[in-house]
Amino acid sequence: MNTELSSVQRRARIHAALGDPARLAIVDTLTLGDASPGEIARALDLPTNLVAHHVKVLQDAGLLARTRSEGDRRRTYLRLEPDALASLTPPPLRDVPRVVFVCTHNSARSQLAAALWADRADIPAASAGTQPADRVHPRAVAVARRHGLIIDATGTAHVADVVTDADLVVAVCDNAHEDLTAGVRPRLHWSVPAPADTDAAFEAAFTDLAARIDRLAPAVHSAPTQRSGARHD
């Protein structure tokens, strides 16, 4: 928890430093190459004393570093610290062996989410329902097929038969999120509306789920696997 708090504090400090238009412009200037403070002042038409102030704020936030010129030793150059910008993303979810998407009937949203995940991520996925239906909704099967994905129309399951303690459980409907309070507790909740019985509604649900999965997938890291031998590079 302390590590998470310190990460949030670092990110907040960086966001605060970037909150001034002039400082953001300085960062933009340094994105593709290094520059001296004087060069930045001329490029942005800013007084040198104001540039010095903004540079100090950006340095204190860990966004910039100074290097001395190998030619004219009196001159310094500023360079962007890319790792600082990369740290603005939320911390990853580590050691996830499998992602399980859960909704009420396991007939539409959770099925689509699992199919999308299997298409876009390397970590295994499954789906389940708190009150599973006998079959997957035909429109869910159809919208998946339109996007090149396959769903087993008879492949519904109950959470008790699917979820393990190690799974990352994502509730893709409000009812599942609210019903699963003991034993199986969703770590993430996506409030995806139940699609009405129209192709357009199922297409909207698919689009919503796809966007959420595109945000989640890069943040999920698989559990380490045991290697049988050493690797020599």
Side-chain angles (χ1 to χ4, degrees):
M1 184 64 181
N2 290 338
T3 301
E4 292 179 5
L5 181 60
S6 62
S7 170
V8 169
Q9 290 170 337
R10 285 195 303 271
R11 288 159 53 207
R13 186 168 65 247
I14 293 171
H15 278 292
L18 294 173
D20 183 280
R23 291 197 285 272
L24 187 57
I26 291 171
V27 169
D28 287 346
T29 301
L30 295 171
T31 298
L32 299 179
D34 304 341
S36 69
E39 290 169 336
I40 289 175
R42 289 191 293 274
L44 300 179
D45 194 23
L46 292 172
T48 55
N49 62 332
L50 188 56
V51 169
H53 165 71
H54 289 317
V55 165
K56 183 179 186 306
V57 173
L58 292 168
Q59 260 191 289
D60 290 345
L63 283 161
L64 302 184
R66 288 180 182 267
T67 58
R68 191 167 295 280
S69 169
E70 292 181 350
D72 183 347
R73 300 293 294 174
R74 295 168 298 179
R75 177 175 298 199
T76 60
Y77 291 104
L78 300 169
R79 75 164 188 268
L80 198 62
E81 295 283 20
D83 289 346
L85 290 176
S87 72
L88 291 177
T89 58
L93 301 174
R94 299 191 180 279
D95 300 339
V96 176
R98 187 176 66 159
V99 180
V100 179
F101 298 96
V102 177
C103 64
T104 304
H105 300 303
N106 191 212
S107 63
R109 288 165 287 182
S110 57
Q111 293 279 354
L112 290 171
L116 277 159
W117 184 272
D119 183 62
R120 302 183 182 201
D122 295 329
I123 296 172
S127 69
T130 55
Q131 302 170 35
D134 293 332
R135 296 178 62 83
V136 178
H137 196 292
R139 292 191 190 276
V141 176
V143 73
R145 186 181 298 117
R146 285 198 297 272
H147 290 273
L149 306 178
I150 302 299
I151 293 178
D152 177 6
T154 62
T156 62
H158 193 278
V159 289
D161 299 322
V162 175
V163 176
T164 70
D165 291 342
D167 291 328
L168 171 62
V169 178
V170 182
V172 296
C173 78
D174 296 338
N175 286 331
H177 175 66
E178 293 162 10
D179 290 344
L180 294 172
T181 57
V184 177
R185 182 65 184 144
R187 187 169 176 182
L188 297 176
H189 169 215
W190 296 348
S191 188
V192 180
D197 197 7
T198 66
D199 287 344
F202 275 79
E203 193 69 43
F206 183 93
T207 301
D208 189 352
L209 290 164
R212 292 173 182 270
I213 284 170
D214 284 343
R215 293 195 297 271
L216 176 62
V220 176
H221 293 241
S222 62
T225 56
Q226 189 70 30
R227 303 197 178 197
S228 57
R231 176 181 173 182
H232 302 282
D233 293 326

